[in-house]
Amino acid sequence: MTELSNYFMSLECELESLEAFDFIQKEIYFDAGETVVSQLERAKFLYFLIEGEVSLSIKLKDEPENLKVGLSSSKFTPIGWSGFKEPYRYATSTTAVTNIKLISIEFENLALTFEKYPNLGTLFLKFVVSKSSILLYETRKMLAQLVPVSQQSFLQLNPFDSIDDNHNPDLDEGLKRSPFFEVFNEDELDFFKSLGILTQVKTGEKYFRQEENADQISFLISGRLALIHAEDKLNQKLDKRIVNNEGYIITIDAFTESETYFDTCVALQSTWVWSINSAKLRANLLQSPALAIKFYKRLLWYTSVSLRSARARLIRVQYDGEISAVKHIIEQHASQLDVLSKIHKIPTLLNHTITINDAFVSLEKLKVNGTSLEKRLANSSLSILSEVLRENDFYNGLAKIYSSIVNAPEVFFPNEVRSLCAESFYSLFEKTGYNLKGIENLPEEPAIYIYNHLENHPYNTLPNSFQLTLDSHFISSVILFKKFQNPGIRVVRVPKGEEYGHQLYYERLGHIPVYTQDSQQLNETDQEKKNRRNEFYITAEEYLNNGTSILLAPEGRSYTTDQSPGEFKAGAFILASKLPKEPLIVPIAVANFDKRLNRTQFSAVIKEPFRLSDRIENVNDREEMNTFLSDLRNSFQNYVKEAQELTNESSWTKML
């Protein structure tokens, strides 16, 4: 007998069924580098790895090389198990890394054997489920290690209370919406319902913990749960997913090889869970082998769907693009979709910031009204695109703010427009899950706030080619406006002639204009330059005397977070020295405002204020000023690193 047959002999299978099972098996060998199965090829054989190591990969359209999605040297790793379900084609390509030994079984022969020996069929499918789940968990481990916590958003994991927290859930409706149960008839569904129990999980409560013994299969009936896997003790390597669709599976870990929970499950709002004890379910399924086979095939279906979703997220990480991942997952099911299905349009709609919103509207409609397959693909796509959705909401928020400012009523004074702008930005930033430290360092008196100015990511460029500076608006709104109900006034560069968007926006806000190397060049005399500087000092003094703080960046231009801060110029400090009443200078270090929101969290650190006279004796001494500027820049470099490190201090990870 083969090694696979010997394994089932240890399970005390009937000799007759075991001999029939052994008869349909064949031992085969592949040399290193040979292809065992090819992606999308019709699945005729199921294979099990006996010796050696294999590599699993997927082919992506428009990519020259296959993406490696897994390695396995685990004995009895199943290869080609996607052949158990439609469209009966291999989901990945499998290649021998070393010389390998396999057992092959023709799917047609398996079906005939299961029909004659259903008890063997149940044991076999249970075995394949336990082995195939290893591939899923290995992929999720890869994701946890590839995406550091600093590049993950935990905003969607914030627990919240719902006005419907105490409502009684409709179990029948929840199970009807479950994709898992859609293949079972009414009598079969009643069988499962008779075995299950409903449990309420309160907001913030852990339903189960990673590595605990798993003893149930469970489904979400109402509410919202987070499943988080930690790959290290410090909780810095995490993979997370949200379950918020009624009837969707929470865990099948009780049917995996380890029978332990892979994740920690936490309720993000009051949640109702329906579960069946796994031992009880197995015992009852023994009385109905045909239903047992149907059940385990459905577990295989769920594992396959979950694995495809995890691999799609892997594509997103490897190719830095959720759109590629969604495109791939739709292409994988193209042969099963109607050619007129609106889901075919999704990748195209996602390619442009102006049409991304249309893609989300279509996906939400398909999630509710689509076919069974369209619903699953829409849900998978929305899960992959969760950060893109957040980023798209942010982009739309920027566009709305710009429009509200340039179209503000003419009767509004500039200070009223600045307050309107700060209030709008405050509301927008509150949805991003930013990090802020040092609020206690804000002085009660108006001051000069200096910050390292960061570039804007091209993604946030508005249709008129204008970019709203995020770091300065963050300081104005989240820090100053929230604390003092006064956003302060910025020192902004005079735009070039062709920068209409820039001019319209900042003129309406009434900020203090200054000429920089990036401005339209002036042809003026030395006296005219001196007069212009004196006017600037007078204007700044008036604002400070009236209780309005001044924001400016000493660098005079913007940089990336990794390059920041640039070389400091003396202008901000000469301003402080020219004022009759010496103001406090408040350093604020900002980080990550130059990056896409779906890859980071914005951060800022407010440091202790100082007066220039405490740091420098003679501002007119060029050598002394240069030393001061160099020292301050060095300090700012550490401040920026401190701001960057805040992204690693997620309060959520401490809850695990």
Side-chain angles (χ1 to χ4, degrees), residues 267-535:
L268 300 181
Q269 69 182 85
S270 185
T271 298
W272 285 92
V273 173
W274 182 74
S275 62
I276 306 176
N277 178 271
S278 53
K280 184 178 181 181
L281 179 56
R282 288 190 186 99
N284 279 271
L285 284 173
L286 288 175
Q287 311 306 315
S288 179
L291 181 58
I293 287 177
K294 197 172 181 179
F295 171 75
Y296 282 108
K297 279 189 175 181
R298 207 59 184 160
L299 287 185
L300 267 180
W301 165 85
Y302 170 76
T303 304
S304 176
V305 169
S306 300
L307 187 55
R308 282 191 175 183
S309 179
R311 285 171 175 167
R313 288 191 289 134
L314 193 61
I315 294 169
R316 176 257 187 193
V317 173
Q318 296 287 62
Y319 292 99
D320 197 32
E322 292 87 345
I323 296 170
S324 294
V326 169
K327 186 177 180 181
H328 170 74
I329 205 170
I330 292 173
E331 286 175 351
Q332 285 274 294
H333 295 84
S335 62
Q336 298 166 266
L337 288 164
D338 190 302
V339 293
L340 297 178
S341 173
K342 291 184 179 179
I343 207 162
H344 292 300
K345 300 178 181 179
I346 298 302
T348 301
L349 293 174
L350 289 170
N351 272 325
H352 305 281
T353 50
I354 296 175
T355 57
I356 281 179
N357 209 55
D358 297 326
F360 283 112
V361 170
S362 293
L363 286 171
E364 289 292 346
K365 288 181 179 178
L366 288 167
K367 174 182 168 182
V368 177
N369 302 317
T371 64
S372 176
L373 178 56
E374 286 174 334
K375 286 178 181 178
R376 292 200 301 272
L377 290 176
N379 271 306
S380 295
S381 297
L382 287 168
S383 176
I384 294 167
L385 295 166
S386 60
E387 292 303 307
V388 175
L389 175 60
R390 186 170 74 107
E391 185 179 43
N392 182 60
D393 288 343
F394 186 75
Y395 175 85
N396 289 335
L398 293 177
K400 289 176 183 176
I401 290 173
Y402 177 86
S403 179
S404 70
I405 298 307
V406 298
N407 295 306
E410 292 184 8
V411 294
F412 278 26
F413 291 108
N415 65 309
E416 294 176 298
V417 180
R418 289 196 297 274
S419 292
L420 170 66
C421 180
E423 190 171 1
S424 299
F425 261 106
Y426 174 74
S427 298
L428 186 61
F429 280 121
E430 283 299 298
K431 300 173 184 176
T432 65
Y434 58 80
N435 301 290
L436 179 59
K437 179 180 176 182
I439 286 290
E440 68 279 2
N441 290 324
L442 290 176
E444 293 299 325
E445 63 186 85
I448 293 177
Y449 288 81
I450 59 172
Y451 62 97
N452 54 304
H453 193 20
L454 299 178
E455 294 177 355
N456 288 309
H457 194 281
Y459 182 89
N460 292 320
T461 304
L462 299 180
N464 64 352
S465 300
F466 179 58
Q467 293 183 327
L468 291 164
T469 55
L470 300 183
D471 49 10
S472 59
H473 281 100
F474 182 87
I475 296 170
S476 293
S477 59
V478 175
I479 297 176
L480 297 183
F481 186 75
K482 183 179 180 180
K483 172 73 174 178
F484 304 113
Q485 293 299 298
N486 185 335
I489 191 160
R490 279 186 58 200
V491 176
V492 299
R493 72 173 177 86
V494 174
K496 294 179 180 178
E498 66 272 17
E499 294 179 289
Y500 304 117
H502 183 290
Q503 184 176 354
L504 283 170
Y505 185 76
Y506 285 114
E507 282 187 356
R508 196 66 188 89
L509 288 167
H511 286 312
I512 305 173
V514 295
Y515 282 86
T516 72
Q517 61 187 24
D518 294 321
S519 301
Q520 191 86 26
Q521 293 304 305
L522 286 178
N523 185 16
E524 57 183 355
T525 64
D526 290 342
Q527 184 60 45
E528 287 172 330
K529 286 182 181 179
K530 184 177 180 180
N531 292 341
R532 182 162 49 81
R533 280 196 296 269
N534 288 334
E535 288 176 11

Side-chain angles (χ1 to χ4, degrees), residues 3-4 47-56 70-79 94 97-98 100-103 127-128 130-135 138 257-258:
E3 291 183 58
L4 185 61
Y47 301 90
F48 290 92
L49 180 66
I50 304 301
E51 295 174 3
E53 184 176 44
V54 293
S55 170
L56 295 90
L71 285 171
S72 182
S73 57
S74 177
K75 191 170 185 177
F76 298 133
T77 295
I79 300 169
T94 303
V97 177
T98 63
I100 61 172
K101 175 183 176 181
L102 302 174
I103 287 175
F127 171 74
V128 177
S130 69
K131 292 297 182 181
S132 60
S133 62
I134 295 173
L135 298 173
E138 287 300 320
E257 190 170 52
S258 67

Side-chain angles (χ1 to χ4, degrees), residues 171-337:
L171 177 60
D172 289 338
E173 188 63 28
L175 294 183
K176 281 180 182 177
R177 294 187 181 186
S178 173
F180 183 86
F181 286 113
E182 65 186 19
V183 299
F184 297 98
N185 61 39
E186 288 295 327
D187 290 339
E188 291 167 338
L189 194 55
D190 287 340
F191 164 82
F192 289 112
K193 282 197 293 187
S194 69
L195 302 176
I197 59 170
L198 267 173
T199 304
Q200 186 176 23
V201 190
K202 295 182 179 179
T203 304
E205 185 179 336
K206 293 180 178 65
Y207 184 50
F208 53 77
R209 294 175 184 270
Q210 183 175 326
E211 296 182 356
E212 286 181 345
N213 289 333
D215 60 357
Q216 62 174 291
I217 179 172
S218 54
F219 299 79
L220 182 78
I221 301 304
S222 68
R224 192 164 176 260
L225 295 167
L227 292 166
I228 304 179
H229 172 76
E231 193 58 19
D232 67 322
K233 298 297 183 183
L234 297 176
N235 296 329
Q236 292 300 303
K237 297 177 181 179
L238 305 177
D239 181 58
K240 66 184 188 301
R241 63 188 183 93
I242 303 294
V243 181
N244 58 0
N245 293 304
E246 293 180 17
Y248 274 58
I249 284 180
I250 299 167
T251 178
I252 64 164
D253 289 343
F255 294 90
T256 62
E257 190 170 52
S258 67
E259 294 188 12
T260 59
Y261 290 117
F262 185 75
D263 302 286
T264 294
C265 179
V266 186
L268 300 181
Q269 69 182 85
S270 185
T271 298
W272 285 92
V273 173
W274 182 74
S275 62
I276 306 176
N277 178 271
S278 53
K280 184 178 181 181
L281 179 56
R282 288 190 186 99
N284 279 271
L285 284 173
L286 288 175
Q287 311 306 315
S288 179
L291 181 58
I293 287 177
K294 197 172 181 179
F295 171 75
Y296 282 108
K297 279 189 175 181
R298 207 59 184 160
L299 287 185
L300 267 180
W301 165 85
Y302 170 76
T303 304
S304 176
V305 169
S306 300
L307 187 55
R308 282 191 175 183
S309 179
R311 285 171 175 167
R313 288 191 289 134
L314 193 61
I315 294 169
R316 176 257 187 193
V317 173
Q318 296 287 62
Y319 292 99
D320 197 32
E322 292 87 345
I323 296 170
S324 294
V326 169
K327 186 177 180 181
H328 170 74
I329 205 170
I330 292 173
E331 286 175 351
Q332 285 274 294
H333 295 84
S335 62
Q336 298 166 266
L337 288 164

